[in-house]
Each structure stands twice: as structure tokens, then as C-alpha cells.
Amino acid sequence: MAGGARMKRAGHWAAFLQRALGHACGVVLGLMLAAVTATTLQRYLLGGGFLGIEEAMVWLLLLLVCLGFPMVAHGALAMRIELFPRTRKSPWTALRETAAEAFTLAACAVLAIAGAKAALEVGGHSALLGLGEWLRPTALAAAGAAGFAMRILVLFAEGRTRLLMGGLALAFATLATVFAGLSVATLPSSLAALIVIGVGIVVGAPLVHAFVLAAYIALAFGSPLVESALALSLLGGVGRYLLLAIPFFLLAGGLLSISGAAGDLVRFAAAMVGKRRAGLGQTVLLTSVLFSGVSGSSIANAAFSSKTFMKPLTGAGYTPERAAGVIASTAVLDNIIPPSIAFFILAAATNLPVGPLLTGGLFAGLALAAALAIAIHCKAGMEGQTAAETGVSRWRLALRAAPVFGLGLIVVAGIRLGVVSPTEAAALAAAYTFLLALWGRGGRAGIFPALRQAGVETAAITMLIGAATPLAFLLAIDGVGTWATRLALSLGENPFMVMLAANLILLGVGLVLDIGAAILLFSPILLPLAAAAGIDPVAFGVVVVVNLMIGGLTPPVGILVQVTSAASGVPATRLFAATQPYLAALLLALLCISMGIAAHAALLRS
């Protein structure tokens, strides 16, 4: 009885901590939106801005990430890659679960220890804000400690004490071995870190925790990143002004849905293509293309389209598998057609310019959309048509959807023409959709939940970027870029061969890795290879994102398939089979894009 009461109290405290941190994330994101929007409007309307605003926003982003980090150990935010089913209990399943918990607990402990050591060693103050630099690693240490405590509370509340004790024992043994100064010189530190990440993927550990622990274990293999340097490297990866675009675009997508404007997009799309062959399937596609102009998140679109279209599609004659297959396949476009969060991650990892990447993504996304339109047309009969619309109603629907079209145009054109920075464009998009939600049909109640959700999602994505920064440093000092250049030279600097090899590598990587992790790991390696063959780096960056987004449909992971399966109720195994015709169309479009880029490079070299 006493044990049950303790479990209940632990569950209460875990839920309280999660609610408090989630609300804090929403408040911080709201402050960030207000500050960036205000300074952007002041700069363009009055000719000046607030002094130190960029530095203040970077500090607030760090605070947001640290507040949200304790919640990335469970649910979709953990970004686990489940290679094996967890339905059957077996010794292998128990071992994997114990190892996954050890990754989580050890990584949280590493952040707590590394952040505390860095806080003691770092001196100085922020030049514009006057804040002590020790506050940043202190926040990281607090995030690690809170994550450690929350995971213990959650496991204890669930009655999984055996799993908790096993995870703690394995985590302690791992950390103690490295802390004791054990040195193993048999592998380069970057390769050792990659192996640890691979083990984390196999056992289903959260990706962020796998990256953090890998950087720490690399110390035993000669890594120069001691604990304090590890913490500062991670903070450097998080503290970039460009990354502020991520929470604002996530928020814009969420507010667009609750404002009712997303429904206007659906009705306009149905009016335009609903009467054609497979009209409702084409409506899903056109809605994805239009929704991409604001959300920038394929996962968000997969969830939105599943809720919006699943019942109408099945009611119009589509089988559940084919309906879900269309939804999952068209969701690929959201992280390709700008504003794409994937391109912001790529820019942060490679220092490529955001504007040209977004322009390339627009053309590539439209090419993929055309391929999907043909596949949907050929696959379906006349089922799925919607009611005919008159010209007057189409114009009326176009006018209702016009604010959303204008928003997408302002974001893309503003960035490409240099009128606004990516962060300013994202903030204006979020502020605009905030007004739509205020004036929309019943959207006000959902504004703060949207802020909270976008804040927590930002913490998961941005912490993954920060956690990959130490690995990028290890890859650099181990000469991986030089190795990639030599590999390109071994292929004869033939752009066709290099592009083919890169495509095969990326498609293979996309089978098992989340797009964010794959971009952070492989784009710094493959980009020098492409540049050595004369391939335009921006065009190659577009191919990287297209490749990895297609990986969202491929087994065994297929994150877009998994999200659509969870939202629609269609088993993932059947959904993988249903997406094959659309996957083939996307791969054919990718081949055409890649060969066109390679042909252009070959022409320039001749």
C-alpha cells in the first residue's frame, strides 16, 4: 500500500514538473516572438532596432532549450528509432530497454557534470546584456539534472523499478569507466562516437541522449573535448541566431491549424482539383503544397492531413491503406517546399546560405509534387471526386485563402530578396498567424497550447543540433573532410558517379536515421565530396534534403509512415506497402533532379 502511494506521488510530481516546464516553454517562446516582431517592425518602420536584441534572443533560445530538454526522453519528442517491436517481452527486449534507459540517464548526468564544470571555469560577461557567461553552462547543468530527476520519477511512477535500477547501474558503470581515465587508442574518437550512436539507435535510445553520451565516451578514445569543452561546444551549437527561425515556423504551422485558415486551404484545394480524376487525392496533394508555405514541418502536415482527410478519403471509396499512403507520401513536401526547417538545420550544419537553399527547395518540391500528381492520377480511378464548384465560389474560396498564400510569398520572397532575414521572416509569419488565430473561428483557446507545443518541439530539435556539434568537431579533427575529398578523387571527379554514390549513401542513411540527425552527421562529410566534383554546394544541399525526406517513407523507420499510422489507425506494415507507388514516383523525380545537377556540373567542367 505504501509502495502504491509513493508511486502515485512520484507520478504527481513528474506530471507537475512536465506541466510547469511546458508552460515555461510557452511563455519564453511568447516573449521571443514579441521581442523579435517588435524589433523587426521598429527597424523597418522607424529605421532602428533594440540594442542587443540578437544576443538576448540567443539567450532566450538557450533558456527555452534547457527548459524543454527534460521532456525529450519520452513520446515523439524523444525521436527514438524503433528498429524492433516492443510488443513481445523477451530477454533481448529487456536488454534493449535497459540500455536505452542507461543512455538517457547517463546523458543527463553528463550534461549536469559538464555544465557544472564549465560554469566554474568560464569567466566574463555578455558585452551588451551584462549577464555572466557562467549562467549558460549553469542552465545546461540544471537541464541535465532536471532530466535525470524526471526520468527517475516517471519510471518509478510506472512501477518499472527493475528497469530503473538496471539503467542506473549500466549508466553509472559507463560513466565511471570514462571518468576513471580509461584510454583506448584503437579507434579514432569520431569513429568511436559514431559506433556509440549506432548502438543507441539499435537499442532505441533518444537520439539527443545518444549524441551526448557518444561525445563523452569519445574521451576514452583520445577526444580533446573534456567535460567543460564538451558543454561549451554544445552551447555553441545551440546559440546561433539562425536557429530562432525554427520555433517561429513551428508556431506558425500550429497557429495556422487552429485559426481555421488551414480549413480554407483545404476547401480551396478541393475547389481547384476536386472534380478531376482521383480528385480528393489530388486535393490532399495540393493542400500539402499550400500548407508547406507556412508550416515547414512534414510531421505536422502528416498529423494535420490524417485528421482532415482520412474519413473523407475512405468515404469516397479509397481503402484505408491507400488513403493513408497518399497522406504520408504528400507530407514529404513540407520539409522541401520553403520555409523548410530541414534547410535551416542544413544551413546551421554547413554554413550554406539559406535563401538559395529555399529557392532550390521550391523548385525541387514542385518537381516532386508533379511526380506525385501523376502517380495519384495513374493509381486511382474516378473515386474520390468532390462536388463541383462554381466559378464564383472558387473565387470566394481563393479570397478566403489569400492571406495564407500571401504569407508564404512574403516569407520566401522576403528571404530570397534580402528584405528580411530568415529569423525575421519566421517571426513575422508567426505573428501573422497569431493574429489569424485571434480573429479566427474559435482559435483563441488554442493559442497558448500551440505556443507550449512549439516551444517543447523546438527544445528537442535544437538540442539535437547542439548535441551533434561536438561530433562535427571530432569529424573535422580526424580528417573526415580530407577523406571525403580523396574518395571523390578516386571516383575520377565524375559528377555523375559522385551524385550516384551520394544518393545511394543518403537513401541508405534515410532507412534508419531521423532527417535532423542524418543532416548533422552526413552533410559535412558529403559536401566536400560534391564540391571536389564541381557540383554546386547549394544544389547538392537540396538533394541531401530531398533524399532524406524520401527516407520518411522507407522501412524500417519511416517516420512519416509511423506518424500517419498512429493518426489513422492503419498498421505501419500495410502502410509501407501502400506508399510504394508514390515512393517510386518520388525516387524517379529525385533521379531526374540529381542527373540534371550532375549534367550542369559536367558542362561547367568541360
Side-chain angles (χ1 to χ4, degrees), residues 57 92 121 197 212 225 228 258 283 346 390 396 553 555:
M57 289 303 98
W92 169 236
E121 297 177 9
I197 293 171
V212 171
L225 290 175
S228 56
I258 67 170
T283 299
L346 178 65
T390 65
R396 186 180 299 118
L553 301 177

Side-chain angles (χ1 to χ4, degrees), residues 250-265:
L250 287 173
L251 178 61
L255 293 174
L256 184 70
S257 296
I258 67 170
S259 68
D264 293 334
L265 278 181

Side-chain angles (χ1 to χ4, degrees), residues 325-511:
V326 171
I327 291 170
S329 302
T330 56
V332 167
L333 301 175
D334 281 69
N335 250 339
I336 299 172
I337 295 177
S340 163
I341 291 173
F343 284 126
F344 286 98
I345 297 175
L346 178 65
T350 61
N351 292 319
L352 289 174
V354 174
L357 283 174
L358 295 179
T359 303
L362 176 62
F363 288 107
L366 293 177
L368 296 176
L372 283 173
I374 295 171
I376 292 171
H377 177 86
C378 295
K379 182 65 179 174
M382 294 304 292
E383 75 272 27
Q385 292 179 339
T386 61
E389 297 282 350
T390 65
V392 174
S393 62
R394 285 184 180 180
W395 278 109
R396 186 180 299 118
L397 290 170
L399 287 174
R400 292 181 64 175
V404 184
F405 301 151
L407 177 61
L409 181 63
I410 290 171
V411 168
V412 177
I415 295 175
R416 189 65 185 94
L417 297 176
V419 178
V420 291
S421 70
T423 298
E424 292 170 340
L428 291 176
Y432 185 85
T433 52
F434 182 84
L435 294 177
L436 289 179
L438 281 178
W439 295 335
R441 299 175 292 279
R444 296 181 183 180
I447 289 177
F448 189 75
L451 279 164
R452 183 178 63 237
Q453 181 66 21
V456 176
E457 289 175 353
T458 298
I461 295 171
T462 310
M463 182 58 91
L464 179 60
I465 295 173
T469 305
L471 177 61
F473 174 78
L474 295 179
L475 290 172
I477 65 172
D478 284 342
V480 173
T482 304
W483 171 83
T485 303
R486 286 200 301 266
L487 176 60
L489 295 175
S490 71
L491 296 173
E493 298 186 6
N494 185 325
F496 291 97
M497 292 297 298
V498 171
M499 188 64 80
L500 178 61
N503 275 313
L504 292 176
I505 291 171
L506 290 168
L507 289 173
V509 167
L511 294 176

Side-chain angles (χ1 to χ4, degrees), residues 472-560:
F473 174 78
L474 295 179
L475 290 172
I477 65 172
D478 284 342
V480 173
T482 304
W483 171 83
T485 303
R486 286 200 301 266
L487 176 60
L489 295 175
S490 71
L491 296 173
E493 298 186 6
N494 185 325
F496 291 97
M497 292 297 298
V498 171
M499 188 64 80
L500 178 61
N503 275 313
L504 292 176
I505 291 171
L506 290 168
L507 289 173
V509 167
L511 294 176
V512 294
L513 272 188
D514 169 79
I515 182 171
I519 287 174
L520 294 168
L521 277 175
F522 287 91
S523 59
I525 298 174
L526 294 176
L527 195 62
L529 189 152
I535 298 171
D536 179 66
V538 171
F540 184 77
V542 173
V543 170
V544 169
V545 171
V546 171
N547 260 285
L548 297 175
M549 281 312 306
I550 291 175
L553 301 177
T554 55
V557 178
I559 185 62
L560 296 180

Side-chain angles (χ1 to χ4, degrees), residues 28-376:
V28 171
L29 181 54
L31 290 173
M32 292 167 61
L33 176 61
V36 175
T37 303
T39 194
T40 301
L41 293 177
Q42 185 186 34
R43 182 158 66 89
Y44 285 102
L45 297 179
L46 303 177
F50 298 110
L51 184 65
I53 188 65
E54 291 192 9
E55 188 173 350
M57 289 303 98
V58 170
W59 278 74
L60 284 175
L61 177 62
L62 173 62
L63 177 60
L64 178 65
V65 170
C66 291
L67 288 170
F69 172 75
M71 292 178 281
V72 305
H74 54 276
L77 294 175
M79 292 182 280
R80 300 175 190 266
I81 298 175
E82 300 286 0
L83 299 178
F84 305 97
R86 291 178 178 260
T87 53
R88 291 187 303 171
K89 291 296 180 182
S90 66
W92 169 236
T93 301
L95 178 61
R96 285 191 294 108
E97 290 181 345
T98 302
E101 293 302 331
F103 266 88
T104 295
L105 295 167
C108 290
V110 166
L111 290 184
I113 296 170
K117 287 189 174 184
L120 294 174
E121 297 177 9
V122 171
H125 291 77
S126 165
L128 296 175
L129 302 179
L131 298 173
E133 289 292 340
W134 60 271
L135 288 171
R136 298 193 304 139
T138 299
L140 186 65
F148 191 87
M150 177 176 282
R151 197 57 191 158
I152 291 177
L153 288 171
V154 168
L155 292 176
F156 186 75
E158 293 174 351
R160 307 172 76 184
T161 53
R162 182 178 298 179
L163 177 61
L164 173 59
M165 299 308 295
L168 283 171
L170 185 55
F172 177 78
T174 302
L175 295 180
T177 300
V178 179
F179 189 77
L182 175 67
S183 179
V184 183
T186 55
L187 292 174
S189 57
S190 59
L191 179 58
L194 289 172
I195 292 174
V196 174
I197 293 171
V199 172
I201 291 171
V202 170
V203 302
L207 282 175
V208 170
H209 299 143
F211 273 73
V212 171
L213 186 58
Y216 183 74
I217 291 178
L219 282 171
F221 295 84
S223 168
L225 290 175
V226 296
E227 289 95 336
S228 56
L230 172 60
L232 295 177
S233 176
L234 190 151
L235 290 169
V238 171
R240 284 178 276 186
Y241 188 70
L242 174 66
L243 298 180
L244 286 167
I246 293 176
F248 295 143
F249 279 130
L250 287 173
L251 178 61
L255 293 174
L256 184 70
S257 296
I258 67 170
S259 68
D264 293 334
L265 278 181
V266 173
R267 286 185 285 274
F268 173 74
M272 295 301 296
V273 298
K275 196 57 183 175
R276 299 176 182 274
R277 180 176 177 176
L280 198 50
Q282 303 288 5
T283 299
V284 178
L285 172 61
L286 184 55
T287 301
S288 289
V289 172
L290 299 176
F291 194 69
S292 302
V294 177
S295 74
S297 169
S298 288
I299 292 177
N301 188 31
F304 166 75
S305 295
S306 296
K307 296 174 184 176
T308 304
F309 289 112
M310 194 63 195
K311 286 185 178 179
L313 284 168
T314 54
Y318 286 77
T319 64
E321 292 84 359
R322 214 168 87 227
V326 171
I327 291 170
S329 302
T330 56
V332 167
L333 301 175
D334 281 69
N335 250 339
I336 299 172
I337 295 177
S340 163
I341 291 173
F343 284 126
F344 286 98
I345 297 175
L346 178 65
T350 61
N351 292 319
L352 289 174
V354 174
L357 283 174
L358 295 179
T359 303
L362 176 62
F363 288 107
L366 293 177
L368 296 176
L372 283 173
I374 295 171
I376 292 171

Side-chain angles (χ1 to χ4, degrees), residues 1-9:
M1 193 73 177
R6 286 195 293 269
M7 290 170 56
K8 187 175 181 179
R9 283 198 300 271

